Amino acid sequence: MPRDPNVPDAFDVYTLVLLRRPVDAPEMSDAQLDALQAQHLAYRAQLRRQGVLVVNGPLGEQSDVAMRGLSIFACDITEARRLSDGDPSVRAGRLTYEVMEWWVASGSLAFPDAIRPVGERRVMPDD
């Protein structure tokens, strides 16, 4: 059977991390939240300087207000989990995360500021 023409010949597969606010997030004072946010941002900036975090940022006007941010990592899912576990906001219980692979048509995205390869080229297996 011929390949569906709507399926790309190749994909670039990226490691995506979605940060979420858990329903049981601990209450903190404004000063504690400000300090934690500064630590969270510093941690993520360090990951970006290391080249393992390619892009990231907060989400706005979404259908689920628990979704807080999105990141693309230049590593596999296991490493992205390990790095996400080290985030001060995750350690404090203010954020949790979901990790997934995101398959897009090859060449759809570019990361000109990346200091290491981002994603992995794959071909969808024929059924």
Side-chain angles (χ1 to χ4, degrees):
M1 178 172 189
R3 185 178 204 64
D4 183 329
N6 297 309
V7 176
D9 290 332
F11 292 85
D12 292 332
V13 181
Y14 300 104
T15 300
L16 211 72
V17 174
L18 176 65
L19 294 174
R20 302 182 64 81
R21 173 87 64 234
V23 294
D24 61 348
E27 292 295 321
M28 299 177 132
S29 70
D30 287 346
Q32 289 172 315
L33 288 172
D34 289 346
L36 185 59
Q37 180 68 3
Q39 293 169 14
H40 164 74
L41 294 175
Y43 180 77
R44 301 197 68 83
Q46 178 62 29
L47 295 179
R48 185 146 166 79
R49 283 190 295 277
Q50 293 171 358
V52 71
L53 179 57
V54 181
V55 293
N56 76 144
L59 299 169
E61 296 195 35
Q62 69 272 20
S63 60
D64 180 352
V65 296
M67 294 187 294
R68 306 305 298 161
L70 186 70
S71 304
I72 296 177
F73 280 78
C75 61
D76 64 20
I77 285 179
T78 302
E79 181 70 358
R81 277 190 191 106
R82 186 186 72 73
L83 294 168
S84 295
D85 284 341
D87 187 307
S89 290
V90 171
R91 288 194 331 257
R94 289 290 298 176
L95 291 176
T96 189
Y97 61 88
E98 297 174 30
V99 181
M100 61 209 73
E101 286 184 343
W102 184 35
W103 292 53
V104 300
S106 63
S108 297
L109 295 175
F111 302 100
D113 294 335
I115 62 173
R116 66 199 303 183
V118 181
E120 176 185 337
R121 183 73 38 100
R122 295 191 196 164
V123 176
M124 183 72 71
D126 291 327
D127 291 337

